[in-house]
Each structure stands twice: as C-alpha cells, then as structure tokens.
Amino acid sequence: GRFSSRARNLLAGSISGVVCKVVEYPFDTVKVLQQTMGSQYSGALDCLATTYRGGGILAFYRGIASPLVGAMAENATLFVSYGWMKKLLKVDEDAATLA
C-alpha cells in the first residue's frame, strides 16, 4: 500500500476517536448539565429539549475541542499499539479466529 501499516493505524485510530467523541459528547453534555444544574430540569429529556432550544445542536458540542484531541490521541495510540503487538507476536491474520 501507499502508507505503512503504522500510518494507517494512526489515521484509523484518529478517525475512530473523532467518531466516538462526536457520538458520545451530547450524552455527556446532558449528564454534566444535570449534575451541575439538575434542579433546573425535570429529567434528561427536559434537559435535552431545553439545551436544544437554547442553542440548537451546537449547544451539545460546546467545549468539545480538547476532549476531541484527547480521543484522537487515545484511539490512535490504541490502534498503533495493537498493530505493533500483532506484528511483535507474529499473529497470523488468516489463522486468527474468534472461536
């Protein structure tokens, strides 16, 4: 291929971190809002609706930059480490099974 397996793992891990954080972050936002200002909401759905009315979809992503970089670094490290360990242990991909 055009890129080394380490570079592909680095890129795949970074993309994985972005996808995971973008999906997870709104739920974390609602959790944190309920923990810090819980008396303002009657529950998670009320918190969700109030937050959306107050700032639209972007309201759920305020402050995502730093966690996004962290998730990219964490997942990239995991992917590269996993690939490195498979190479170090000489794992035969064709013979490897889940059974």
Side-chain angles (χ1 to χ4, degrees), residues 29-30 33 41 46-56 59-60 62:
T29 298
V30 170
L33 286 171
Y41 308 109
D46 180 44
C47 179
L48 187 88
T50 303
T51 303
Y52 182 77
R53 281 193 303 271
F60 295 102
R62 285 192 189 112

Side-chain angles (χ1 to χ4, degrees), residues 18-30 33 51-52 55-68:
V18 169
V19 171
C20 289
K21 192 53 66 177
V22 166
V23 170
E24 174 265 335
Y25 203 76
F27 297 101
D28 192 54
T29 298
V30 170
L33 286 171
T51 303
Y52 182 77
I57 195 74
L58 293 179
F60 295 102
Y61 292 97
R62 285 192 189 112
I64 195 172
S66 181
L68 195 61

Side-chain angles (χ1 to χ4, degrees), residues 67-88:
L68 195 61
V69 171
M72 289 172 69
E74 177 182 1
N75 283 11
T77 302
L78 290 171
F79 275 55
V80 170
S81 298
Y82 180 72
W84 183 69
M85 287 304 295
K86 285 194 315 183
K87 187 178 275 188
L88 183 72

Side-chain angles (χ1 to χ4, degrees), residues 86 90-98:
K86 285 194 315 183
K90 295 177 175 43
V91 173
D92 180 3
E93 294 287 338
D94 296 326
T97 66
L98 296 175

